[in-house]
Amino acid sequence: MTVRVGVIGGGQLARMMIAPAVELGLDLRVLAEDEGMSAQLAATAVGDYRDLETVRAFARDVDVITFDHEHVPQQVLRALVADGVQVHPGPDALQYAQDKLVMRARLAELGVPQPDWAAVRDARDLQQFINDHGGRAVVKTPRGGYDGKGVRVVRAGLEAADWFAEVPDGEALLVEEMVSFTRELAQQIARRPSGAMVAYPVVETVQRGGVCAEVIAPAPNAAQRLVEVAEKIGRQIAEGIGVTGMLAVELFETDDERILVNELAMRPHNSGHWSQDGAVTGQFEQHLRAVADLPLGRTEPREEWTVMVNILGGPAEGTLTGRFGAAMQEHPEAKIHTYGKAPRPGRKVGHVNVAGDDLDDVVYTARAAAAHFDR
Amino acid sequence: MTVRVGVIGGGQLARMMIAPAVELGLDLRVLAEDEGMSAQLAATAVGDYRDLETVRAFARDVDVITFDHEHVPQQVLRALVADGVQVHPGPDALQYAQDKLVMRARLAELGVPQPDWAAVRDARDLQQFINDHGGRAVVKTPRGGYDGKGVRVVRAGLEAADWFAEVPDGEALLVEEMVSFTRELAQQIARRPSGAMVAYPVVETVQRGGVCAEVIAPAPNAAQRLVEVAEKIGRQIAEGIGVTGMLAVELFETDDERILVNELAMRPHNSGHWSQDGAVTGQFEQHLRAVADLPLGRTEPREEWTVMVNILGGPAEGTLTGRFGAAMQEHPEAKIHTYGKAPRPGRKVGHVNVAGDDLDDVVYTARAAAAHFDR
């Protein structure tokens, strides 16, 4: 029988699973939030992923459920598992991507290096943490944040007073030390239900305004020790929290040469888009193989360097595809990926991958090709 | 506006356009022969491509028409052009892929090297040609043949008596000298409506039983002269017959080191499947770019060697995807492509690409991975 993979969420990550699903002959079915989403072509249902009966009806016709995002509520996930549905990643793993306090506590148990952190219930607790960590700190809402949302740098406990006012009784905010880092890295791991894992090379991610702007794969000037430590951390977390599918571990490389875990994502991730054109097995194919419990593919880079540049916002006039001509004419080596989304300022609407031997050339070309879509 | 590309025919070539169309944000629409064809996911209409009104209705909602095969009748194609529809390749070019006698005559006009040939109307003419060419020859029906169908090696004129009996009045069969070749090659060219062209490296194709079995890219042990001659022939034909989209020129390399044109195909071609995983721009993306009149992508191989092995027939029991586990387990570097077709003996149901530095290793791995799907 053809394996039917159900994806909850119709965004660009679900969309980019279509290409490898077609080639592998997997029957990809998407529960989209709305008509006309990025993954429209594979959408077989439209509905609210927070509604158990909607999700249950969708799950009835697939062999395995996976995700475009991490927002499906725990009670929905656990009901599916109780129904006997294969869910990858499962609720036990996903909780660590859904709640940053739960994640920090678990990483502490696992002994994984991470920034100092605390659960704070009021401005006074927060002020104490700030005082103990050099006069500033990063406050995060434990749930619902992404791409810099729900994250605030503060110098006084009262700067988070509005968030404390909204925190439900008995819950807390997460506060973390403000890490002095030289750069950000990301480590991706794929893990099958059987526990088999493969690691991608650690990459450098460049954020602008809290949003991923560029990725360089593999991370330049990375000492062998750093590469090994990043992979070890990735494998330790994947196993420790029982991830199935793709795991992305966002990392800080500190001034004093430590590596600390920043965030986790349990799905294909922006930091892995380079692998579509730059690795033997792209992350979207790898995710499908992992959640369908198929043997994992090779993760080696295909060229010395691959650079991914996000297209943010997109053209003020016309469509993205209307800009293809000039971008393709000037950069015939650029691989352009579009998400079929209406452009809005700062919105991720596509990305460009370029691979080659000379890092300066590759970075230049990827930026120049992406720039055609910016204005 | 998003460019809408209409593909006539729902086979595996249309299917393999889906992945690049999704990434490029092109709106791919397929007129399939039937429900459940390989390109089902992109099918927006089902109907007979020989019926003008069916094709006309399909063409109304697209910006450009292209093809999964070369069988759309000239009168249908010419009516579309008269309607003002963009058709790539157009009828003037496609006639050379539809009728091998017309093709031979045009290649002769262009001065392209090809086997000796003649149009023969009866067994006596054929016998004369055989007598003049060492006692044997290859007879071909000018229309409708592919994958070795409509091709017969004969030693006497009477061996084609059944075909002569079926030839309509005033028409002829094609006879060609039996070329003594050391190997078969294929040269692919992509050409835009503007005339801009790019060439892929010439590849070696290995046929078994008249069907393509393996492709090695680039062709091993190819002298620089051979590479240049093959590309020159390809460009000359593409321009000479005004192809738009992908052109494949099948070639014989003879014992006496000449290169002769065997067949033409004006669409993505089995000899170019290697490029999906082995070239900067795969042939399916390139075909879409060419027919949508977008600038063409780079054609360089991404690794020293890429080998494509067809999956013919497929498993006697179970589905192709049921064999993935073992193939992927043993060959994590293999790229598997399936066509979503029911397996039948000798039918092309998928292929495997493997790339790497060591040709022996690459050939071995590609064959071994494909062999998992054979029995």
Side-chain angles (χ1 to χ4, degrees):
Chain A
M1 280 293 293
T2 300
V3 180
R4 300 163 303 174
V5 178
V7 185
I8 298 182
Q12 66 258 31
L13 302 180
R15 178 191 180 94
M16 289 188 274
M17 295 178 201
I18 297 173
V22 166
E23 296 307 319
L24 290 180
L26 302 174
D27 183 359
L28 195 76
R29 300 176 180 210
V30 169
L31 170 60
E33 294 83 345
D34 219 328
E35 299 289 342
M37 298 280 294
S38 286
Q40 173 74 26
L41 184 63
T44 56
V46 169
D48 186 346
Y49 58 77
R50 295 165 301 188
D51 178 64
L52 176 58
E53 291 316 311
T54 298
V55 176
R56 214 171 224 163
F58 176 69
R60 209 165 284 140
D61 295 326
V62 301
D63 299 306
V64 57
I65 286 282
T66 190
F67 308 95
D68 173 72
H69 57 69
E70 292 127 340
H71 307 317
V72 180
Q74 280 286 320
Q75 62 269 31
V76 173
L77 298 170
R78 293 192 185 275
L80 291 182
V81 171
D83 289 347
V85 176
Q86 295 290 319
V87 179
H88 294 300
D92 288 340
L94 267 175
Q95 63 178 326
Y96 301 111
Q98 293 179 329
D99 189 313
K100 293 189 175 75
L101 273 170
V102 176
M103 183 263 287
R104 286 293 177 215
R106 181 69 182 134
L107 294 188
E109 283 174 11
L110 291 173
V112 169
Q114 55 180 342
D116 276 353
W117 65 280
V120 286
R121 294 180 191 280
D122 55 35
R124 197 176 140 182
D125 281 3
L126 176 55
Q127 186 64 53
Q128 186 61 52
F129 187 94
I130 293 169
N131 294 346
D132 293 346
H133 291 86
R136 55 183 190 167
V138 183
V139 189
K140 297 182 177 179
T141 56
R143 297 163 173 277
Y146 68 96
D147 275 355
K149 296 182 182 70
V151 175
R152 192 181 287 174
V153 176
V154 294
R155 293 174 177 274
L158 287 171
E159 289 179 44
D162 54 336
W163 283 0
F164 283 116
E166 285 172 20
V167 169
D169 267 358
E171 297 196 14
L173 294 177
L174 170 64
V175 59
E176 299 173 358
E177 69 170 312
M178 181 89 181
V179 173
S180 181
F181 59 86
T182 51
R183 60 175 172 173
E184 294 186 68
L185 304 169
Q187 173 67 54
Q188 286 192 300
I189 301 285
R191 185 171 178 274
R192 291 176 68 180
S194 63
M197 283 187 269
V198 291
Y200 282 84
V202 65
V203 301
E204 179 171 340
T205 66
V206 180
Q207 318 283 321
R208 292 199 192 100
V211 176
C212 177
E214 293 181 13
V215 172
I216 305 171
N221 304 314
Q224 187 56 30
R225 191 195 66 84
L226 180 140
V227 170
E228 289 168 6
V229 168
E231 178 172 335
K232 186 172 156 238
I233 290 172
R235 287 177 180 268
Q236 195 182 354
I237 295 174
E239 192 164 307
I241 65 183
V243 169
T244 40
M246 289 298 303
L247 167 72
V249 182
E250 296 183 62
L251 300 161
F252 294 123
E253 184 177 356
T254 66
D255 291 349
D256 52 353
E257 296 195 330
R258 289 177 304 148
I259 293 178
L260 305 176
V261 174
N262 180 21
E263 305 263 0
L264 303 182
M266 290 173 210
R267 49 173 170 75
H269 187 251
N270 203 160
S271 64
H273 290 354
W274 70 275
S275 64
Q276 289 177 298
D277 301 297
V280 174
T281 311
Q283 67 165 344
F284 297 98
E285 175 178 343
Q286 197 76 279
H287 185 73
L288 291 172
R289 290 166 74 143
V291 302
D293 202 15
L294 289 166
L296 302 172
R298 292 268 283 269
T299 55
E300 286 89 336
R302 299 195 57 195
E303 309 207 30
E304 199 158 350
W305 302 108
T306 305
V307 170
M308 190 279 326
V309 177
N310 275 330
I311 301 170
L312 296 172
E317 287 166 31
T319 62
L320 225 53
T321 50
R323 305 295 181 94
F324 277 6
M328 288 176 167
Q329 185 70 47
E330 285 180 42
H331 308 289
E333 67 275 58
K335 306 308 294 179
I336 300 170
H337 301 266
T338 64
Y339 306 158
K341 290 158 77 172
R344 279 202 304 265
R347 190 181 203 197
K348 292 177 184 172
V349 293
H351 66 272
V352 173
N353 286 331
V354 177
D357 292 339
D358 184 288
L359 182 55
D360 287 343
D361 280 355
V362 169
V363 169
Y364 172 81
T365 304
R367 286 182 187 168
H372 280 277
F373 299 97
D374 275 355
R375 285 166 287 275
Chain B
M1 279 294 292
T2 300
V3 180
R4 299 163 305 173
V5 178
V7 185
I8 298 182
Q12 65 259 29
L13 302 181
R15 177 189 180 95
M16 290 188 274
M17 294 178 202
I18 296 174
V22 167
E23 297 306 319
L24 290 179
L26 301 174
D27 184 0
L28 195 76
R29 301 175 180 210
V30 170
L31 171 60
E33 294 83 345
D34 219 329
E35 299 290 342
M37 297 281 294
S38 286
Q40 173 73 29
L41 184 63
T44 56
V46 170
D48 186 347
Y49 58 79
R50 295 164 302 189
D51 179 64
L52 175 57
E53 291 315 313
T54 298
V55 175
R56 215 171 224 162
F58 175 70
R60 209 165 286 139
D61 295 326
V62 302
D63 299 305
V64 56
I65 287 283
T66 189
F67 307 95
D68 173 73
H69 58 69
E70 293 126 340
H71 309 317
V72 180
Q74 281 286 320
Q75 62 268 31
V76 172
L77 297 171
R78 292 190 187 276
L80 291 181
V81 171
D83 289 348
V85 177
Q86 294 291 318
V87 179
H88 294 301
D92 287 340
L94 267 175
Q95 64 178 326
Y96 302 111
Q98 294 179 328
D99 189 313
K100 294 189 175 72
L101 274 170
V102 176
M103 183 263 287
R104 286 293 177 215
R106 180 68 182 136
L107 294 188
E109 284 174 10
L110 292 172
V112 168
Q114 55 180 340
D116 276 354
W117 65 279
V120 285
R121 293 180 191 278
D122 55 34
R124 196 177 141 183
D125 281 3
L126 176 56
Q127 186 64 55
Q128 186 61 52
F129 187 94
I130 292 168
N131 295 346
D132 293 347
H133 290 86
R136 54 182 193 169
V138 183
V139 189
K140 298 182 178 179
T141 56
R143 296 162 173 276
Y146 67 98
D147 275 356
K149 296 182 181 71
V151 175
R152 193 181 286 175
V153 176
V154 295
R155 292 173 178 276
L158 286 172
E159 289 178 45
D162 54 335
W163 283 0
F164 283 117
E166 285 172 19
V167 169
D169 267 357
E171 297 197 14
L173 294 178
L174 169 64
V175 59
E176 298 174 358
E177 69 170 310
M178 181 90 182
V179 174
S180 181
F181 60 85
T182 51
R183 60 175 173 173
E184 294 185 68
L185 304 169
Q187 173 67 53
Q188 286 193 300
I189 301 285
R191 185 170 177 275
R192 291 176 67 180
S194 63
M197 284 188 269
V198 290
Y200 282 84
V202 66
V203 300
E204 179 172 339
T205 66
V206 180
Q207 318 281 322
R208 291 196 192 102
V211 176
C212 178
E214 293 180 14
V215 172
I216 305 172
N221 304 314
Q224 187 57 29
R225 192 195 64 83
L226 180 139
V227 171
E228 289 168 6
V229 168
E231 177 172 337
K232 187 173 156 238
I233 290 172
R235 288 177 179 269
Q236 195 181 354
I237 295 173
E239 191 165 308
I241 66 184
V243 169
T244 40
M246 290 297 304
L247 167 73
V249 182
E250 296 183 61
L251 299 161
F252 295 122
E253 185 178 357
T254 66
D255 292 348
D256 52 352
E257 296 194 331
R258 290 176 304 148
I259 293 178
L260 305 176
V261 174
N262 180 20
E263 305 264 0
L264 303 183
M266 291 173 211
R267 48 173 170 75
H269 187 252
N270 202 161
S271 64
H273 290 354
W274 71 274
S275 64
Q276 289 176 298
D277 301 296
V280 174
T281 310
Q283 68 165 345
F284 297 98
E285 175 178 343
Q286 196 77 279
H287 185 73
L288 291 172
R289 289 165 75 144
V291 302
D293 203 14
L294 289 166
L296 302 172
R298 292 269 282 270
T299 54
E300 287 90 337
R302 299 195 57 192
E303 309 207 29
E304 199 158 350
W305 301 107
T306 305
V307 170
M308 190 278 327
V309 177
N310 275 331
I311 301 171
L312 295 172
E317 287 166 29
T319 60
L320 225 53
T321 50
R323 305 296 182 93
F324 277 7
M328 288 176 168
Q329 185 70 46
E330 285 180 41
H331 308 291
E333 67 275 58
K335 305 308 295 178
I336 301 170
H337 301 265
T338 64
Y339 306 158
K341 290 158 77 172
R344 278 203 306 263
R347 190 182 203 197
K348 292 177 184 171
V349 292
H351 66 271
V352 173
N353 286 331
V354 176
D357 292 339
D358 184 290
L359 182 55
D360 287 343
D361 280 356
V362 169
V363 168
Y364 172 82
T365 304
R367 286 181 187 168
H372 280 277
F373 300 96
D374 276 354
R375 283 166 287 276

